[in-house]
């Protein structure tokens, strides 16, 4: 089933809860680990599920929500209401492994990018690390630099400022050390700027509306 695929084949940490109400209680209480994604494994879809998703999103606006639908229940009217409630995307079961893997990776990457942008905005506002913010954001021709090059410069600067200490650099950037290792590895593969590092995964929550897989 989907649960086994997530844990054994995709190597994700999964919190398995029996229904949307239990998922809402988990998120509202701020329990740990805090899930990055929410997968709703639907039986017969209903508006009660959409209300729960709205409440979950009210507590965790940045959480991505994927709804797994049974064929025949994915009608246009319900799809529209689901998207309006905060569902990020919908997949029809049986789920193709490659499609599910790509969706998860894209959702996590979007969350990471939003986190980096927000942190960059805070640093610029506080002028904590870069007194010359113009040179950080603009190239020599006055064009806005792309996010990848800005991120690379920030990581290189903070690593140098931290004397190469990954733990100290991660604290300065406001991210976990494993996240920093992963991103350095990605940047090295993409641009060959920094040394290779390990890959890490983040926890997600899977919700079944009828029974556990």
């Amino acid at each position: 089933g989907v649960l086994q695929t997530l844990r054994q084949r995709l190597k994700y940490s999964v919190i398995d809860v029996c229904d949307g109400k239990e998922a809402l209680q988990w998120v509202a209480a701020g329990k740990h680990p805090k899930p990055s994604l929410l997968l709703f494994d639907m039986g017969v879809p209903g508006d009660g599920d959409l209300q729960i998703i709205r409440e979950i999103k009210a507590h965790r606006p940045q959480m991505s929500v994927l709804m797994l639908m049974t064929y025949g229940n994915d009608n246009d009217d319900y799809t529209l209401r689901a998207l309006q409630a905060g569902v990020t995307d919908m997949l029809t079961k049986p789920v193709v492994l490659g499609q599910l893997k790509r969706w998860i990776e894209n959702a996590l990457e979007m969350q990471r990018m939003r986190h980096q942008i927000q942190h960059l905005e805070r640093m610029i506002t506080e002028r904590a690390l870069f007194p010359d913010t113009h040179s950080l954001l603009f190239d020599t021709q006055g064009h806005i630099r792309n996010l990848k090059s800005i991120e690379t410069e920030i990581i290189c600067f903070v690593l140098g400022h931290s004397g190469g200490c990954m733990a100290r650099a991660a604290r300065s950037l406001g991210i976990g050390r494993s996240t920093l290792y992963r991103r350095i590895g990605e940047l090295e593969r993409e641009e060959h700027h920094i040394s290779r590092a390990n890959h890490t995964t983040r926890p997600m929550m899977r919700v079944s509306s009828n029974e556990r897989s």
Side-chain angles (χ1 to χ4, degrees), residues 12-112:
Y12 283 105
S13 173
V14 181
I15 306 164
D16 189 25
V17 296
C18 63
D19 55 34
K21 291 181 179 179
E22 188 177 344
L24 176 58
Q25 291 172 356
W26 187 288
V27 173
K31 293 183 180 180
H32 290 275
K34 293 184 178 180
S36 302
L37 307 175
L38 175 64
L39 273 68
F40 254 90
D41 190 357
M42 301 297 296
V44 179
D47 289 336
D49 296 309
L50 299 186
Q51 180 57 34
I52 288 174
I53 291 173
R54 292 187 190 97
E55 294 181 36
I56 289 175
K57 293 285 286 186
H59 288 282
R60 295 283 301 280
Q62 301 300 323
M63 180 182 286
S64 299
V65 179
L66 175 63
M67 187 173 284
L68 305 181
M69 303 287 292
T70 303
Y71 180 76
N73 289 327
D74 52 345
N75 62 79
D76 292 340
D77 178 63
Y78 187 81
T79 298
L80 177 59
R81 287 186 285 124
L83 294 175
Q84 291 172 340
V87 173
T88 309
D89 205 350
M90 306 174 78
L91 296 180
T92 302
K93 297 185 289 186
V95 178
V96 178
L97 176 61
Q99 187 179 17
L100 179 61
K101 184 174 184 292
R102 284 193 300 272
W103 184 90
I104 293 172
E105 290 174 346
N106 290 339
L108 292 176
E109 181 65 11
M110 287 297 296
Q111 290 183 14
R112 188 198 63 78

Side-chain angles (χ1 to χ4, degrees), residues 121-134:
E121 290 173 344
R122 288 195 299 270
M123 287 198 302
I124 291 173
T125 301
E126 298 170 0
R127 304 177 68 87
L129 294 177
F130 294 94
D132 182 9
T133 56
H134 187 276

Side-chain angles (χ1 to χ4, degrees), residues 145-157:
R145 299 169 60 189
N146 63 55
L147 186 59
K148 186 187 298 181
S149 66
I150 294 173
E151 182 182 13
T152 300
E153 183 168 334
I154 290 173
I155 291 176
C156 289
F157 178 90

